Amino acid sequence: MNRALALLRRWDVAAGLVLVGIFVLGATAVRFAPPGSSVAVWWPAAGLGIAFLLATGPNRRRAAIVLAGMVVSSGLANWYGGRTPLVATYFGFANTAEAAVVWWAMTRGGRRPRLAALDDLGRLLLATLAGALVFGVLAGLIVTYALDRTFFPTAYAVTASHAAAVLTLAPLGVAVSTKATIPWRLEDLLQGIVLLAVTLWVFASTNGLPLAFLPLPVLVWGATRLDLRALATQLAVLGVIVVGLTSEGYGPFAIAGKSGAVAPETVGALTQAFLVTAAVTGLALAVASAQRRDALADLFSEATFTQTVLNSAAATAIIGTDSTGTITLFNRGATNLLGYQSEDVVGSLNWVELHEPAEVAARAAELGLSPGPQVLVHGLDQAGRSETRDWTWVTSDQKRIVVDLTISPIVDQDGSVIGYIGVAEDVTERRVASEAVQLALQRERNAVEELTALDQTKTDFLSSVSHEFRTPLASVLGYTEMLEDGAVGEMSPKQLDLVSRIDRNGRRLLGLIEDLLLNSRIESGQLNLAKRPCDLAAIVDHAWEATGPLTQRRNLHLRHEIASRPVTVDGDDTAIERVVLNLLSNAVKFTPDGGIVTLTLDTVRDERGGAKARLVVSDSGYGISEEDQRQVFRRFFRSTDATERAVQGTGLGLSIVQAIVDGHEGTIRVDSVLGQGSTFTVLFPLASAIAPSGPLH
């Protein structure tokens, strides 16, 4: 038994059985002709073949096999029914052409035939009509030229009979691949029994025409309750019963033909009209009902999903209203936030009552409106608009909370506003924290302003004091020079030594004052550099000679390599000389006796190919730690090693050097290893109007 069922499930076996069925149904179709009629009212062979093709789907190879088989089986059926071999062959091709047209129309574009929407039903009706017309035209031509009969009566009669057969049987082919969507119910069995009973009562009796369409209401009942597979089966059974009983002379159509109330040919037309009406009505209602069930299922799924999402937002209030502001939606987040239950506010509370009245009144006065729900949605009169602002809400226990509320309109398909949706989040703590941050920032701002003013006062004070110190100090140095020159008489060696010390420390103090004055100008942005083309080599030579007094009492190895040709830069020669002096004095101060101080000047190209003058001052002294290197150009910074060794200095020299280098669009870099010395490298752009004459390193 199981082996037999498995065999029937094979497509090739099923195709063979269908072709045999086409032969049997076609050969016996003449029995479906009512008494006195020359045309069968139903041609089930056409419906069976097309149903199997539709069940096969868009597979062209299989469809070609079935169509080829239909030529043979339909031709044999017509020959067995009494037609000549040639005419039977013609009819075999005509039946196959009809099936091919319907199959092509239903599977065009590679889609699988289906009846899931009214568009699909319309496609089936058009395909059926096209196939029936093709067969009707071919049949009319065959009988006209091969059997010497009239074209139009035959064409009309067979078109209707084939259309009725296809519409009642072809849906079975579509339903085979359709999944059952409705579980079996006792109501389905009851409806099937009632339809069978009513059909047998009407078409197995001698009742008149008024009762002919009585089965249709029962079929409509099934169409609204059954799935497509069950309804297609009922249509096929209904067609077999109606045509079979009518061909045996029973039922209202056959009785009307016998009594002479209608012509025998009209019996066939009435039967075909009944079958077509039943098929179209039942299928249309079944498709519409299926769409309605699917739409309701989708709507229920979407509603469930939406409700789940709304309730999942436990910390976010989502409130919907109608156009007047009356609450229609109140999610769990709103309940958690405000304390009201959904059933207590939906349909009975206007959401403006959730807001702080004084705040609503203030907003109304600002907009020129009367206090009310319109204040909340002012300007939100079309889709796509929304407004986000902070509002104060009053909870059920009269607690005030600040919420960040976004309101958007809900519009219908005509663009009319039918309600509003508000999404709110409690930002009370955030607002408190924000205000605290703003207050702290304001305090910091005030402190910075005070420190800036204090720093400016300090700068102004240092500048003023420096100016005041410089005048008497210049007088002291002048008198010292006079004493050394013997203006008041010749001095002893001891007196000259004391005067020399006074001069040396006075000049050191004068240098400090000059550094303070220059630093003040740098801080105030008044470092005015008188730039002009100048020879950097000459400046460096002059600075090297000026360091003589610093090294005359030191045991240092001094080296300098300066380009012999002019190295021209656009700069302030006095400021650049100060850079070289500061770097050299630092190298001397931080190098113990026996060490090496080196000064070099050459020209190079940077990574972009630009010509640069390179000044390098290196020493073999104490060096600078990596941590101190990051701060060495900061004002008043003194390295740890300099402090520990009590090396004299103010910490202004390198900051001034960097300011001057930056003012000349140059760069300065320090490379140092603690205990092994330091190297300061300065790059100045060469004068643009003067190209270097020799090669660059």
Side-chain angles (χ1 to χ4, degrees):
M1 181 67 178
N2 292 334
R3 187 175 181 181
L5 290 174
L7 188 63
L8 287 175
R9 290 192 183 99
R10 290 181 52 181
W11 181 87
D12 52 352
V13 174
L17 293 176
V18 167
L19 293 176
V20 172
I22 290 174
F23 169 77
V24 173
L25 292 176
T28 58
V30 292
R31 288 186 52 82
F32 291 102
S37 175
S38 60
V39 178
V41 300
W42 209 43
W43 194 259
L48 177 62
I50 291 174
F52 187 73
L53 279 172
L54 296 182
T56 299
N59 190 312
R60 294 186 178 183
R61 186 181 66 82
R62 289 186 172 184
I65 294 173
V66 175
L67 291 172
M70 287 183 66
V71 174
V72 177
S73 59
S74 295
L76 290 175
N78 279 274
W79 174 75
Y80 183 80
R83 293 188 172 95
T84 64
L86 181 61
V87 172
T89 302
Y90 289 157
F91 273 105
F93 279 104
N95 279 286
T96 304
E98 174 192 18
V101 168
V102 177
W103 174 82
W104 174 82
M106 292 296 292
T107 60
R108 187 176 53 174
R111 61 172 173 266
R112 191 166 192 85
R114 62 184 193 136
L115 285 173
L118 292 177
D119 289 343
D120 299 329
L121 177 59
R123 187 177 296 109
L124 175 62
L125 294 177
L126 290 176
T128 300
L129 178 60
L133 286 174
V134 167
F135 180 79
V137 170
L138 294 177
L141 292 174
I142 292 171
V143 299
T144 299
Y145 293 103
L147 301 178
D148 196 22
R149 294 183 183 177
T150 308
F151 175 85
F152 285 105
T154 300
Y156 169 78
V158 298
T159 297
S161 66
H162 278 245
V166 172
L167 281 179
T168 51
L169 294 180
L172 276 174
V174 179
V176 166
S177 59
T178 303
K179 183 180 179 181
T181 57
I182 302 176
W184 185 88
R185 298 162 300 186
L186 183 61
E187 177 189 356
D188 301 340
L189 178 61
L190 177 62
Q191 183 270 340
I193 293 174
V194 172
L195 178 62
L196 180 62
V198 171
T199 303
L200 290 174
W201 178 66
V202 172
F203 285 91
S205 66
T206 57
N207 294 316
L209 287 175
L211 295 178
F213 291 90
L214 191 60
L216 292 184
V218 184
L219 186 66
V220 168
W221 172 19
T224 59
R225 304 292 292 170
L226 302 174
D227 58 25
L228 179 62
R229 188 180 302 178
L231 180 70
T233 303
Q234 288 190 1
L235 281 175
V237 173
L238 178 67
V240 171
I241 293 175
V242 170
V243 174
L245 291 177
T246 300
S247 66
E248 295 296 328
Y250 295 100
F253 303 138
I255 297 300
K258 288 179 180 180
S259 64
V262 297
E265 298 292 342
T266 307
V267 173
L270 289 174
T271 306
Q272 294 156 6
F274 174 83
L275 294 177
V276 170
T277 301
V280 172
T281 303
L283 291 174
L285 285 175
V287 171
S289 298
Q291 284 186 300
R292 177 178 174 274
R293 286 192 296 269
D294 292 342
L296 289 175
D298 292 342
L299 184 61
F300 178 78
S301 177
E302 289 180 5
T304 303
F305 175 77
T306 302
Q307 192 62 41
T308 302
V309 171
L310 291 176
N311 288 332
S312 298
T316 302
I318 302 176
I319 301 176
T321 74
D322 59 17
S323 58
T324 65
T326 301
I327 295 175
T328 57
L329 170 68
F330 201 81
N331 79 325
R332 187 170 65 179
T335 297
N336 295 339
L337 205 62
L338 292 165
Y340 295 101
Q341 296 299 319
S342 175
E343 57 270 17
D344 296 334
V345 296
V346 171
S348 60
L349 186 69
N350 194 297
W351 70 342
V352 75
E353 299 176 40
L354 301 174
H355 292 69
E356 171 66 45
E359 194 172 66
V360 174
R363 178 63 174 164
E366 179 184 338
L367 298 174
L369 302 173
S370 58
Q374 189 60 31
V375 174
L376 306 179
V377 297
H378 178 70
L380 303 179
D381 54 359
Q382 62 184 26
R385 290 192 176 184
S386 63
E387 182 187 56
T388 302
R389 62 184 296 118
D390 287 354
W391 288 96
T392 301
W393 278 0
V394 183
T395 66
S396 60
D397 57 358
Q398 300 304 304
K399 180 183 176 182
R400 266 63 176 172
I401 60 174
V402 179
V403 297
D404 182 58
L405 175 62
T406 299
I407 302 177
S408 304
I410 303 172
V411 299
D412 59 14
Q413 59 184 3
D414 297 327
S416 301
V417 176
I418 59 174
Y420 300 93
I421 191 78
V423 180
E425 183 180 0
D426 185 2
V427 294
T428 305
E429 295 183 0
R430 190 188 308 170
R431 289 295 177 266
V432 171
S434 177
E435 291 175 0
V437 170
Q438 291 296 330
L439 182 60
L441 288 175
Q442 185 60 42
R443 290 176 178 173
E444 290 290 333
R445 192 177 298 111
N446 294 338
V448 169
E449 291 175 356
E450 292 178 1
L451 288 174
T452 302
L454 183 60
D455 188 62
Q456 184 61 40
T457 301
K458 179 263 300 180
T459 301
D460 294 341
F461 173 75
L462 287 176
S463 178
S464 177
V465 169
S466 298
H467 278 289
E468 293 298 325
F469 280 173
R470 187 165 58 174
T471 301
L473 186 58
S475 178
V476 169
L477 292 176
Y479 285 120
T480 302
E481 289 182 3
M482 292 174 61
L483 291 174
E484 288 179 332
D485 293 339
V488 292
E490 187 176 353
M491 292 187 294
S492 65
K494 187 173 183 180
Q495 288 174 328
L496 285 174
D497 181 62
L498 292 175
V499 171
S500 176
R501 292 187 181 187
I502 293 172
D503 181 75
R504 188 168 56 253
N505 285 284
R507 294 189 182 282
R508 179 182 163 203
L509 182 58
L510 183 61
L512 174 60
I513 292 172
E514 292 294 339
D515 285 346
L516 289 173
L517 287 173
L518 183 56
N519 181 71
S520 297
R521 289 199 299 271
I522 293 172
E523 286 185 349
S524 61
Q526 297 178 359
L527 179 62
N528 298 320
L529 299 173
K531 294 182 181 180
R532 60 182 179 81
C534 55
D535 183 8
L536 186 57
I539 295 173
V540 172
D541 273 335
H542 189 268
W544 178 262
E545 294 174 0
T547 57
L550 296 176
T551 59
Q552 63 184 359
R553 297 185 181 183
R554 299 288 307 279
N555 180 21
L556 295 174
H557 300 283
L558 304 177
R559 301 173 183 173
H560 75 289
E561 300 175 5
I562 301 175
S564 59
R565 54 187 169 81
V567 180
T568 307
V569 297
D570 288 324
D572 186 323
D573 52 357
T574 302
I576 294 177
E577 184 175 355
R578 190 180 191 89
V579 169
V580 182
L581 284 172
N582 279 356
L583 293 177
L584 285 173
S585 64
N586 278 352
V588 171
K589 284 191 298 183
F590 289 97
T591 303
D593 287 344
I596 303 172
V597 175
T598 304
L599 170 65
T600 61
L601 174 66
D602 58 6
T603 55
V604 295
R605 292 193 182 276
D606 60 14
E607 61 275 8
R608 297 183 180 180
K612 302 284 186 178
R614 180 173 63 182
L615 173 69
V616 180
V617 177
S618 61
D619 62 69
S620 60
Y622 305 130
I624 308 170
S625 67
E626 289 187 14
E627 183 178 354
D628 287 346
Q629 287 179 43
R630 292 191 290 268
Q631 307 179 71
V632 73
F633 294 106
R634 188 164 57 85
R635 286 182 302 153
F636 301 109
F637 175 76
R638 298 270 292 161
S639 67
T640 304
D641 192 66
T643 303
E644 291 176 352
R645 296 177 184 275
V647 178
Q648 296 177 351
T650 61
L652 288 174
L654 288 179
S655 66
I656 293 173
V657 166
Q658 186 178 45
I660 295 174
V661 171
D662 291 343
H664 285 82
E665 299 179 359
T667 60
I668 183 170
R669 185 183 77 246
V670 59
D671 299 292
S672 180
V673 177
L674 195 62
Q676 297 182 21
S678 304
T679 299
F680 287 84
T681 304
V682 181
L683 296 177
F684 287 113
L686 290 177
S688 56
I690 303 176
S693 57
L696 300 180
H697 300 289

